[in-house]
């Protein structure tokens, strides 16, 4: 099983007998560390135990106990299961030391926890809200914070079909809109935030750099959120010297659609279609991670045929995602839309298979706990077979032939946006980004889940860590995915596709689980906490897109504006997942 | 130009048929408008991917003269709101809308843009972009397939066909009012609704059962 949590790590207990306690709640794993010594313990974890990769940081609000918990999942970049560390603090005075100095990859994740939970991270260099705006009322993921359309804590809401009638949420709100205001608030006295903190931070960074005594003029430019090459509503604030980037700060949250808050109101299965909408280019991989996490809690496994179907669909998703990524990267480089047309042509053929099997082109909602929703319909096996054995290998070669030695890609990509292997790990990047920097970290091998240990495939690695290598690695990975699909098609047995009867409301025993998969964009993790009710108590998504842009500034400094666009394109972000 | 442009009441001599058309002003205006609607290149969420697909190999909206996507609002005629509209994004959408020159059209693509969609109950989600800007065509679906998007575009064309230059708003006096840009406060605020907001928050202050109001009143009193 994936991401097994180690329960016995006696080194840690021996070293810090007073501050480290095993987490003894039923269904929980890992260790509880007192917040005063978190930094020391984390340093020992990194330097002595070798857990150099901080995968996920998030908060959990244990309202009944009056506790706020911060959960860390550490891994080794050489592979192996997780080490989970928790730190508990008082809900009303939630202060935890920041781990950014040890693990720079914690940066955005801690800001998110501050934004959504109101957990302060002492020592964080730039603790501003991440997804919402400064001035927003409250910290919405707290369990006692209610959204304007609040009805009940858990679905299904009683108001949904009383006597077969429906009512609109708008009718219950005094403004007939999705808004609410605190008592006594006066809009005329309100001074909206104008990003002044952000701009003055940037100015401080610039002025501290001017050692020469010569005064240089800088221009601050906002790229996005409406910009043709930011791949959605992503905004970068850059300070330019001429055309060279001196400071770059991403601003996100323009597509923050409250995935996690809604996810905690939903029943477990209701979340499945929502996961489709995270990384909307690769919905089936998203299903995969969530199904794994909940299955781990429930202690079930899908039947053989379902495992193979899952792998086939996930790998097709990877190919279609990489096609799209390469197409849009070339768009950003200036080869406008022609490569994209070639890429989309193949993607459409893959979408045809998804549509025939799952019923939808993009939002597949295909996985169920303990299986998949449908078997392949008649005639589709042949189509898949043809695509995997004949058409796709040929078309990937064609793409390779047209693009790889193209002057545009080489001139624009080589040596641009370099990320060293050390930085790639420290910043918790994953997927093609970390592998293009020479770190062979692929969860399908490092911590195998489902049936990936049965297939013969290579982990693609490239060593320069530049844009060109991040392009090449996607071509390599598509080839490997084709290999996996070919083997899976040959080995796939007949049989049932669902363990037991399909159920709408599943019984999930209390406990926590962290399920992670190698999604096309990187490590996609789901942290799910159940308290035995039909709705998850905590539902967190570790989004690779968000964490992969943590080193964006580092990669872009000293490059030109036009290069930043392709550096961003080579990371391959999707805003649905980045902002959730 | 084809037959469809001609007004059948006027007989054109056969020798001139290839070079002369007689039509109404409305018709020629509408015909040229509907045949080159330039959408703004502006993707919000998942629906934008289907929008890209509609513009690409298999579906190809170039057949309607609509493939010229402009990243600048100043050069576009159509705002395709393709995805979830969040409160953080709403002020920018209104600003973009205000920057578009007349005549301008808005299509709400997908469940989210039309009414909030699956994310409606979210605290940062607007229940439909028509809360703030006028919408011409709604396309249902989550996401609408490229075919559905095309149907929406054809519907828009039909709407354009019914326009008359005597009635359209952009030839009238005082046309094209700008929409006040919403402000991000504790929640999103429409400047036109400040009175309403004040009334409501004061009322809450008066409400004795509300413990927060009690504290606030004590503070006010002291
Ligand atoms: S309608 Fe559906 S597909 Fe479109 S943006 Fe909303 S969630 Fe995404």
């Amino acid at each position: 099983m994936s991401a097994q949590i180690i329960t016995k790590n006696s080194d840690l207990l021996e070293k810090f007998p007073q501050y480290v306690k095993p987490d003894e709640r039923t269904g929980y794993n890992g260790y509880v560390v007192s917040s005063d010594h978190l930094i020391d313990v984390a340093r020992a974890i990194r330097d002595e135990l070798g857990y150099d990769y901080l995968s996920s940081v998030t908060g959990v609000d244990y309202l009944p106990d009056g506790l706020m918990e911060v959960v860390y999942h550490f891994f080794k970049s050489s592979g192996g299961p997780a080490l989970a560390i928790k730190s508990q603090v008082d809900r009303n005075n939630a202060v935890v030391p920041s781990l950014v100095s040890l693990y720079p990859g914690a940066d955005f994740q801690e800001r998110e926890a501050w934004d959504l939970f109101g957990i302060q991270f002492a020592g964080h260099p730039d603790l501003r809200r991440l997804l919402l705006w400064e001035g927003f009322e409250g910290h919405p993921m707290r369990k006692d914070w209610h959204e304007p359309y609040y009805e009940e804590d858990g679905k299904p809401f009683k108001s949904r079909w009383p006597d077969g009638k429906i009512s609109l949420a708008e009718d219950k709100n005094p403004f007939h809109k999705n808004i609410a205001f605190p008592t006594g608030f006066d809009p005329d006295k309100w001074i909206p935030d104008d990003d002044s903190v952000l701009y003055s931070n940037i100015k401080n960074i610039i002025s501290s750099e001017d050692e020469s005594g010569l005064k240089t003029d800088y221009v601050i430019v906002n790229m996005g959120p409406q910009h043709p090459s930011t791949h959605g509503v992503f905004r970068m604030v850059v300070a330019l010297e001429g055309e060279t980037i001196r400071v770059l700060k991403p601003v996100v949250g323009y597509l923050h659609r409250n995935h996690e808050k809604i996810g905690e109101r939903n029943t477990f299965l209701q979340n499945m279609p929502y996961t489709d909408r995270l990384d909307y280019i690769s919905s089936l991989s998203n299903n995969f991670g969530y199904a794994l996490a909940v299955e781990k809690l429930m202690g079930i496994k899908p039947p053989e045929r379902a495992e193979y179907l899952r792998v086939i669909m996930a790998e097709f998703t990877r190919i279609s995602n990489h096609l799209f990524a390469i197409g849009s990267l070339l768009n950003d480089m200036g080869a406008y839309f022609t490569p994209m047309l070639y890429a989309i042509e193949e993607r459409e053929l893959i979408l045809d298979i998804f549509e025939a099997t799952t019923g939808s082109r993009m939002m597949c909602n295909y996985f169920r706990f303990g299986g998949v929703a449908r078997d392949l319909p008649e005639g589709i096996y042949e189509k898949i077979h043809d695509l995997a054995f004949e058409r796709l290998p040929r078309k990937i070669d064609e793409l390779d032939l047209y693009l790889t030695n193209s002057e545009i890609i080489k001139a624009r990509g080589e040596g641009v946006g370099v990320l060293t292997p050390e930085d790639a790990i420290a910043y918790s990047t994953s997927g093609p980004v970390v592998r293009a920097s020479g770190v062979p970290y692929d969860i399908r091998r490092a911590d195998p889940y489902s049936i990936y240990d049965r297939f013969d495939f290579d982990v693609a690695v490239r060593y320069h860590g530049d844009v060109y290598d991040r392009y090449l690695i996607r071509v390599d990975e598509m080839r490997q995915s084709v290999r996996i699909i070919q083997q899976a098609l040959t080995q796939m047995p007949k049989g049932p596709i669902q363990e037991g009867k399909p159920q709408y409301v599943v019984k999930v025993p209390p406990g926590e689980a962290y399920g992670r998969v190698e999604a096309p964009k990187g490590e996609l993790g789901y942290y799910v906490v159940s308290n035995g009710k039909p709705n998850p108590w905590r539902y967190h998504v570790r989004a690779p897109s968000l964490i992969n842009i943590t080193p964006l500034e580092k990669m872009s400094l000293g490059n030109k504006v036009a290069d930043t666009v392709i550096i961003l394109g080579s990371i391959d972000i999707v805003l649905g997942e980045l902002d959730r | 130009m084809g037959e469809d442009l001609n007004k059948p009441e006027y007989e054109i001599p056969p020798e001139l048929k290839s070079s002369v058309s007689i039509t109404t002003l409305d018709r020629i205006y509408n015909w040229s408008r509907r045949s080159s609607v330039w959408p703004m290149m502006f993707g919000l969420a998942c629906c934008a991917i289907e929008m890209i697909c509609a513009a690409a190999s298999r579906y190809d909206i170039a057949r309607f003269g609509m493939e010229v996507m402009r990243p600048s609002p100043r050069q576009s005629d159509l705002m395709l709101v393709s995805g979830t509209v969040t409160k953080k994004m709403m002020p920018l959408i209104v600003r973009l809308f205000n920057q578009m020159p007349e005549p301008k059209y808005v299509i709400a693509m997908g469940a989210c843009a039309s009414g909030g969609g699956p994310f409606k109950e979210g605290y940062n989600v607007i229940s439909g972009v028509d809360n703030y800007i006028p919408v011409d065509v709604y396309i249902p679906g989550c996401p609408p397939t490229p075919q559905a998007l095309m149907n929406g575009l054809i519907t828009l064309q039909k709407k354009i066909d019914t326009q008359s230059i005597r009635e359209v708003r952009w030839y009238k006096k005082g046309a094209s009012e700008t929409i006040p840009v919403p402000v991000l406060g504790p929640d999103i605020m429409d400047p036109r609704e400040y009175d309403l907001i004040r009334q409501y928050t004061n009322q809450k202050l008066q409400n004795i059962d509300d413990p927060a109001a009690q504290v606030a009143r004590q503070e006010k009193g002291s």
Side-chain angles (χ1 to χ4, degrees), chain A residues 133 149 155 170 177-178 180-182 184-185 188 190 226 252 254 256-258 274 277 336 341 352 361, chain B residues 41 50 57-58 71 84 86-88 118 120-125 127 142 184-185 187 193 198 201 204:
Chain A
W133 59 91
Y149 282 163
K155 282 179 192 166
E170 279 94 333
K177 262 187 194 179
N178 186 8
F181 294 94
F185 167 73
D188 289 321
W190 179 259
Q226 191 258 335
V252 302
Y254 293 97
H256 178 47
R257 27 187 197 185
N258 329 121
Y274 280 84
R277 287 154 181 83
Y336 190 66
L341 290 179
D352 283 348
R361 286 158 52 85
Chain B
M41 190 194 267
E50 286 296 51
S57 334
R58 192 184 276 181
T84 319
T86 63
K87 292 179 184 171
K88 196 171 178 178
K120 177 173 177 181
E121 66 211 83
Y123 48 84
N124 191 27
V125 175
S127 321
C142 180
L184 292 178
D187 207 323
E193 285 181 349
R198 212 173 302 116
T201 53
K204 253 171 103 180

Side-chain angles (χ1 to χ4, degrees), chain A residues 257 277 363, chain B residues 45-47 82-84 109-113 118-119 141-144:
Chain A
R257 27 187 197 185
R277 287 154 181 83
M363 305 303 176
Chain B
C46 349
C47 283
S82 53
T84 319
M109 176 182 183
C112 282
F119 296 94
C142 180

Side-chain angles (χ1 to χ4, degrees), chain B residues 51-105:
Chain B
M51 183 178 78
I52 296 173
C53 289
S57 334
R58 192 184 276 181
Y59 300 98
D60 194 11
I61 49 174
R63 292 176 288 157
F64 306 97
M66 292 193 178
E67 85 288 10
V68 195
M69 298 231 181
R70 298 279 101 177
S72 161
R74 306 260 183 220
Q75 300 167 341
S76 22
D77 311 303
L78 167 67
M79 182 188 247
L80 255 170
V81 186
S82 53
T84 319
V85 183
T86 63
K87 292 179 184 171
K88 196 171 178 178
M89 193 64 198
M90 195 65 229
L92 301 150
I93 295 179
V94 171
R95 224 176 273 166
L96 287 169
F97 178 78
N98 286 341
Q99 286 175 5
M100 285 167 67
E102 291 277 17
K104 54 186 168 189
Y105 307 95

Side-chain angles (χ1 to χ4, degrees), chain B residues 12-28:
Chain B
I12 304 170
E15 65 271 24
L16 290 180
K17 267 216 162 110
S18 59
S19 49
V20 172
S21 269
I22 299 178
T23 185
T24 59
L25 213 49
D26 270 348
R27 212 139 162 203
I28 190 89

Side-chain angles (χ1 to χ4, degrees), chain A residues 155-156 263 266-272 290-291 293-300 310 367-371 498-510 528-537:
Chain A
K155 282 179 192 166
N266 281 344
T267 63
F268 280 94
L269 189 59
Q270 276 178 331
N271 273 340
M272 193 59 85
Y290 181 57
V294 178
E295 278 166 5
K296 212 189 301 175
L297 272 174
M298 296 168 67
I300 54 171
R310 284 178 171 195
F367 286 41
R368 294 291 177 270
F369 308 129
Q498 168 82 37
E499 183 72 41
K501 266 213 301 254
Q503 283 173 320
Y504 288 110
V505 179
V506 288
K507 269 212 107 35
V508 182
V528 183
V529 176
S530 162
N531 59 356
K533 299 247 171 66
N535 321 88
W537 178 258

